[in-house]
Each structure stands twice: as C-alpha cells, then as structure tokens.
Amino acid sequence: MYRRKGLRLFAVVAAFALIAAACGGGGGETTTTGGEGTGTTAAAASEVEVFSWWTGGGEAAGLEAMIKVFNEKYPNIKFVNSAVAGGAGTNARAVLASRLQANDPPDSWQGHAGWELIGTYVAADQIEPLNFLYDQEGWLDVMPDTLIPLISKDGNIYSVPVNIHRANVLWMNPTVLSDNGISVPTTLDEFFTALDTLKANGMDAPLAMGEQWTSMHLLETIMLASLGADGWNSLWDGTGDWSSAEVTKALENFAKVLDYTNSDASALSWQDAGQLVLDGSAAFNIMGDWQEGFFRELGKTPKTDYDWAPVPGTPGTFQFLSDSFVLAKGAPHRDAAIAWLTVAGSREGQDAFNPVKGSIPARNDGDRSLYGEYLLSAMDDWASNTVVGSLTHGVVANDSWKSEIDTALGLFLSNKDVAAFQDALVAAAAASPNQ
Ligand code: GAL
C-alpha cells in the first residue's frame, strides 16, 4: 500500500532530519540520487538540493526521469533529492515552511503556479526572479500565456513550470460500469443516478475517496460542476457572493456526493482510493491526472482497466494546476540550482518527466508521440476548453484562505451542516482575500 510506504519513508526522512539537526548539520531531510556512474572519478564539483513531495505512485518515477536528463547534462553536479512523502504536499509544505523559517532553504523547491507561489514565497521574499533565465532560454515563446501572469509579480517571473495537471477528472472502472448497465455520466444528475444504481446493486461506496485533501479536491470539482466556470472564478476574484443560493446548492451537491464515499476515506491515500477503482470495489474516483501516472506505473491498460471523463457537469472546462520550481534567495548552490531549472524548463526535461508523471508539458512544443491516449486528450482539452484554476493545488487562493477553508471542511466532514459550512466559507473569504 502506498500510504504505508509513504509513512515509512516519512519516518525515515524525519529520522534523517533529527540526526542532521543533532549533528548541527544543515540540509536535513535528504535522500541522495544520481551523481554516480558519470564516467568520471572526481567527486561531484557541486550539488543541488531539490525539494518536492514526489515520493511514490508514478510521481517519484516522473521525477527520476527528469533527474536522469539532469545527470546526463550535468554529470559533475550531484542531485540531492529531498522529497518528503504525502499527497498534495501536506507533509512537505510543513517541513519546507520550517526550513525557510530557520533560514535553511533547499536550493530549489516545488510550488504551485498561482496564489500559493505569489501569496507565500514571493510575498515573503524567499525566491529570486528568473527573468534572466526566461530571456536566455527563450521560454516566453513556448510557455502558455495563461501561466505567466500566475507566476509573475510586478514584471518579475518567479518560477519554472514543469507541467499542467488537470484536476477535474472522473476515473472509472469500465467493467463495473458495463456490468451495471451504466454509461459515462456527463451531468451531476446522471452522476447521482449512476451512484444510486450502483448502491441499489449492492456497492456501498461507489465513489472512492481518500484523506482530507482529496475531499477538498472533490469539493472544488463539484462546486465547479454546480456553479460553472464563471461562477467558480467569481468566488476568487472578489466579484462573487459566497452566501448566494447557488453556493448553497453547490454545497448541498457536495454533501450528497459524500453519501456515496467510503467510510475509511481519512485513512487512505489518493493511490489507495485509485486502487479501489482498479479492484472494482468502487466504480469512480475524482482525482487529478497524476492518478493515471499511478495506474500506468502499475502496468494497467487505458480504456480496459480504467477509463476517464471530465467530472460530471464540467465537460468543456479544464480545471488546472501547474507544478513549478523556484530558485531560493540565498540558495546554497545557486549555479547548480540554475542548471536544474534549465533542465526543468527544457523540452527534453519536460518530455521525459510528463509522460511518466501523468501530466502534459507546460511548454507548448512537447513531442506528442511520447504521450499516451489520456494525455493526448488532455493536451487537446487544455488547448480548446475554458481554463479555470484549482483551489486544493494552489492556483485560486492564497495559503491562509485555503487553510481556513480546510478547517471549515474538516468540521463539515464530521457534522455535515451545510449552513454552518457556508457561513464559515463566507467568513474565510472576508478574512483572507487574495492580495
Ligand atoms: C499536487 C501536485 C501533483 C501531485 C499531487 C498528488 O498538489 O501538483 O503534482 O503531486 O499533488 O501528490
């Protein structure tokens, strides 16, 4: 089970951190990869410490593929992989925050394009502008216009996006669907009918869910389905009304969807929830397309072992997020970090990473022949759909706002009180607007 493996790794990582701290060493939680087998006998001239939360289930393999490109291009720089386990960065971001507070930054770390980047690391002056690298590498010609404003402030560009992930994906077990005479639901009403049919046929929890961040992920996709793209966007730019009847309806829909989920959700990782669909214990899972990276790593066959569609109620809308890497202010190995960022932004790096990670390149010149059926459909949808941002993965709200929503959601998951939830969401929007 990936969850157990993740926890074990986290324990090992934490132990390393303690030892390093006890020895008075900096750097802390590192596992080392690469830098060997370069054909030279000299020790690495330098190293680069890169921090992320990609430790398992398709994610680590994606990172390894990019590290391989890095090692080929920079054989004298040792790559120090400081990934900390935990889906969506739940553990990693806490470790990173305490390192930044202790003035012990990794050279480069993973951050989401959008308010996570601008509202936290840029606001706290923790990262360097990268305009010089964009100029040198010609990235403004190949990175999408949608993305640049989300990683910029006052004309400065602050990160290198490595991918585009889609959040609003419904993953399905096609055999379970056909055995129960269900066709792919495209509206919320069709979704509820399908879930009712599965329940009536004896499947208690037809929609697989995992730990709390995956329920925020579910919440945002159901809100998008209920409110539409404009309604969703308006909640984040200050023009929408969190106390409206439309938001009440969206939250009621979310409450209803939760009735079809597994009771052990809080103990499961996103990979565990995906596994329930592969096993046929559940019919559906709503998760970002890193789920496909996991399925493929297990050797599963698209359209046979699993199928996909936009979350019901959201066809034509692509709810996105983008993983990007930054350059720490005061990076201990600044030149090596720039070398890493050059690979992260390159076509070769992105075409090695993304087919394995389950995302499409942030660059618009990826080699389509390297991508599978799902990712080709994601590329087409990214180019043609209405694009909106994700809450759980850092695009639409700053960290304090998101954290207040998370607290309200935690309460709601136990008391299911829609009115109280909506009140708390209204208060959160007033307390922590994006700025
Ligand atoms: C997201 C991240 C993805 C994937 C996912 C699950 O926040 O952007 O790349 O790692 O978490 O861990």
Side-chain angles (χ1 to χ4, degrees), residues 362-412:
R363 296 173 62 110
N364 56 25
D365 61 353
D367 176 353
R368 286 177 69 96
S369 72
L370 299 170
Y371 293 80
E373 193 176 349
Y374 166 73
L375 288 175
L376 288 174
S377 77
M379 283 183 195
D380 294 341
D381 288 351
W382 168 248
S384 61
N385 282 192
T386 301
V387 171
V388 302
S390 160
L391 163 67
T392 315
H393 309 282
V395 184
V396 293
N398 66 47
D399 281 341
S400 353
W401 191 356
K402 180 180 147 189
S403 138
E404 290 188 41
I405 294 173
D406 194 41
T407 304
L409 172 61
L411 274 174
F412 178 70

Side-chain angles (χ1 to χ4, degrees), residues 194-424:
L195 291 165
D196 283 335
T197 303
L198 290 157
K199 260 204 168 178
N201 292 351
M203 187 177 269
D204 275 350
L207 177 62
M209 194 173 79
E211 59 189 304
Q212 186 165 322
W213 73 263
T214 74
S215 61
M216 185 187 281
H217 190 112
L218 181 62
L219 166 69
E220 65 172 302
T221 61
I222 298 300
M223 287 185 75
L224 176 63
S226 308
L227 297 168
D230 290 344
W232 172 253
N233 286 338
S234 75
L235 294 178
W236 309 106
D237 66 13
T239 62
D241 179 5
W242 280 90
S243 63
S244 69
E246 289 78 16
V247 171
T248 311
K249 179 71 191 158
L251 300 180
E252 284 167 358
N253 283 334
F254 175 58
K256 193 164 165 194
V257 165
L258 287 177
D259 287 342
Y260 302 92
T261 59
N262 40 308
S263 55
D264 62 349
S266 65
L268 302 187
S269 67
W270 61 268
Q271 290 100 331
D272 294 334
Q275 188 67 52
L276 292 175
V277 174
L278 294 177
D279 294 347
S281 321
F284 302 110
N285 170 238
I286 289 179
M287 188 38 58
D289 43 15
W290 44 90
Q291 193 64 278
E292 213 226 356
F294 175 55
F295 292 165
R296 289 175 79 98
E297 181 169 85
L298 296 177
K300 300 297 173 187
T301 309
K303 296 282 171 190
T304 305
D305 296 319
Y306 63 93
D307 202 352
W308 59 85
V311 166
T314 72
T317 302
F318 190 116
Q319 190 172 30
F320 96 103
L321 56 119
S322 171
D323 294 304
S324 70
F325 283 87
V326 302
L327 174 60
K329 267 212 168 153
H333 312 97
R334 186 174 181 277
D335 290 347
I338 291 169
W340 153 249
L341 292 171
T342 305
V343 171
S346 70
R347 184 179 191 226
E348 193 181 348
Q350 299 206 357
D351 274 344
F353 170 73
N354 286 297
V356 184
K357 178 67 167 68
S359 39
I360 60 174
R363 296 173 62 110
N364 56 25
D365 61 353
D367 176 353
R368 286 177 69 96
S369 72
L370 299 170
Y371 293 80
E373 193 176 349
Y374 166 73
L375 288 175
L376 288 174
S377 77
M379 283 183 195
D380 294 341
D381 288 351
W382 168 248
S384 61
N385 282 192
T386 301
V387 171
V388 302
S390 160
L391 163 67
T392 315
H393 309 282
V395 184
V396 293
N398 66 47
D399 281 341
S400 353
W401 191 356
K402 180 180 147 189
S403 138
E404 290 188 41
I405 294 173
D406 194 41
T407 304
L409 172 61
L411 274 174
F412 178 70
L413 291 174
S414 56
N415 66 21
K416 303 280 166 62
D417 183 338
V418 168
F421 189 25
Q422 187 165 10
D423 285 348

